[in-house]
Amino acid sequence: MALVLDSGMGGLVMSICGYILCGFLALLAITIIALIWGVPGFWGKNNKGIDLSHLLNEANGQASMSRFQLLIFTFVIAISLFELAEKNPKMEFPDIPQGVLTLLGISASTYAVGKGISYSQPDLIKPKGTDGSSDEAKAAAGLAAVQASAAQQAADAAQAAVSLVAAHAATAQQAVMQSAQSAAVVQQAADAAQAAVDQIAGHVATVKMAVEQTAQSAAAAQQAADRAAGAGGAANGD
Amino acid sequence: MTVAHILHLEVVAFLYALAATVFVQVLVGRIKFDGLFSQKGASQTSPGRIQLLLATLAASASYLGQVANSTDGKMPNVDANWLYLFGGSSSIYALEKAWAAWKARKKS
């Protein structure tokens, strides 16, 4: 972590960047600590901060020894690293020995194995009901109440939709009935029109017969007139 | 004061502040320790957990002592005996946990 300050512009820029980085890290550290302690209104009205209450807990709410061990080792190694960096004349990070890495590996493996064993027992990872977790029970009850309210609203909306569908079905039924009635009326009108057409056809046939009879009568009259005319001529010749 | 010194002081201060925060929250009960010494689903104290805790505290104290006595700025290596101790302790803890889980599964 040795920063060589050159003279001139390059060194000045490096220094400024370095101080900006220092300021940023300081603000970040203060923010994290403040959020953990839940300083009121630090990060907005609805901010709940960083909750460490379940730092050591497993899924069922009980504290885990492997998590506690990993926490202790992490702090010990981190603090040792930075304390030894200060003692180093060059102010560099020291090389991390193999033994320390092995120790951290054993601790992390123990945590992973423990977690795997816990999660292989679904009934053991159910959150505890009564002892020592009243806050979790209240939160769970509140969540259940919210979900029940949402379910009730969904049921009410479904009921309203069913009623609306029933109303539409009744309207459609009435429309179908009216259409059927209208079809019956149309059918009656068609039947009446057909009867009228038949009557007209009958009248036309009657008229036709009358015309034919009239024509026959006219023909007979003509024949009679011709005969009469022939007879009169013959009488005059005598 | 150089930038490196300032950065170093900031990081060390943050680490100590975080450790103190965790420690104080443990003392006031905000970080829950319920069931730390008992096996899941049981109310009895577990010897495997006790020995793991003691081994952890002993190894941590020993290592911090070596770091405090170091003068050349090199990280002291962990003695092989400590590694054997930790390996055995963690194995006992894992085996006890697996045994308890197997017994619980057999009951159900």
Side-chain angles (χ1 to χ4, degrees):
Chain A
M1 199 165 38
L3 287 178
V4 178
L5 297 178
D6 297 324
S7 59
M9 197 53 120
L12 180 65
V13 169
M14 286 284 286
S15 295
I16 292 171
C17 290
Y19 286 121
I20 291 172
L21 179 64
C22 290
F24 172 73
L25 284 178
L27 282 175
L28 185 63
I30 292 168
T31 301
I32 291 172
I33 298 296
L35 283 174
I36 290 173
W37 282 108
V39 172
F42 186 79
W43 196 257
K45 211 167 30 171
N46 298 323
N47 176 43
K48 295 181 184 176
I50 299 174
D51 183 19
L52 293 185
S53 59
H54 301 289
L55 181 67
L56 300 177
N57 289 8
E58 289 190 357
N60 65 351
Q62 281 190 316
S64 168
M65 183 57 75
S66 54
R67 284 189 183 219
F68 186 56
Q69 183 196 58
L70 191 60
L71 180 71
I72 290 177
F73 280 153
T74 303
F75 272 117
V76 165
I77 301 300
I79 290 173
S80 303
L81 200 66
F82 282 96
E83 288 295 333
L84 290 169
E86 189 181 15
K87 288 183 183 179
N88 190 318
K90 295 181 188 175
M91 210 156 187
E92 291 173 345
F93 274 123
D95 291 329
I96 301 177
Q98 199 64 32
V100 173
L101 294 175
T102 306
L103 192 70
L104 283 173
I106 291 172
S107 180
S109 302
T110 307
Y111 167 67
V113 167
K115 192 156 186 163
I117 293 172
S118 293
Y119 277 91
S120 69
Q121 292 285 313
D123 52 332
L124 289 182
I125 66 171
K126 283 177 196 169
K128 291 181 70 174
T130 51
D131 45 329
S133 61
S134 60
D135 292 340
E136 292 170 357
K138 283 180 189 170
L143 185 63
V146 168
Q147 287 174 346
S149 170
Q152 181 64 37
Q153 286 177 2
D156 291 342
Q159 184 65 34
V162 166
S163 302
L164 195 61
V165 165
H168 284 310
T171 306
Q173 182 71 21
Q174 284 179 3
V176 165
M177 287 172 62
Q178 284 177 357
S179 297
Q181 288 172 359
S182 300
V185 167
V186 165
Q187 184 64 35
Q188 286 175 2
D191 292 340
Q194 185 64 35
V197 164
D198 292 340
Q199 280 183 357
I200 290 170
H203 288 309
V204 166
T206 305
V207 166
K208 192 173 178 183
M209 281 174 59
V211 167
E212 285 176 355
Q213 284 176 358
T214 304
Q216 287 173 359
S217 300
Q222 183 67 33
Q223 285 177 3
D226 290 341
R227 275 201 298 270
N236 288 337
D238 291 337
Chain B
M1 191 172 274
T2 62
V3 170
H5 273 114
I6 296 173
L7 280 174
H8 174 262
L9 286 175
E10 282 179 359
V11 174
V12 170
F14 173 68
L15 275 176
Y16 280 122
L18 193 60
T21 299
V22 170
F23 181 69
V24 169
Q25 293 210 348
V26 165
L27 285 181
V28 299
R30 280 176 73 169
I31 293 179
K32 294 180 175 53
F33 264 46
D34 300 336
L36 186 66
F37 296 121
S38 59
Q39 205 59 260
K40 302 296 179 291
S43 58
Q44 290 176 339
T45 304
S46 163
R49 290 170 175 247
I50 299 285
Q51 61 87 24
L52 187 66
L53 176 68
L54 293 175
T56 302
L57 293 176
S60 303
S62 168
Y63 193 77
L64 283 174
Q66 291 180 29
V67 167
N69 292 331
S70 169
T71 53
D72 55 358
K74 288 185 182 173
M75 235 178 155
N77 198 2
V78 178
D79 193 20
N81 293 330
W82 280 110
L83 292 177
Y84 296 144
L85 173 71
F86 255 103
S89 177
S90 298
S91 301
I92 291 171
Y93 170 75
L95 283 171
E96 189 183 26
K97 198 168 177 121
W99 173 253
W102 182 77
K103 271 177 67 177
R105 188 179 287 177
K106 202 177 169 187
K107 264 188 196 174
S108 60

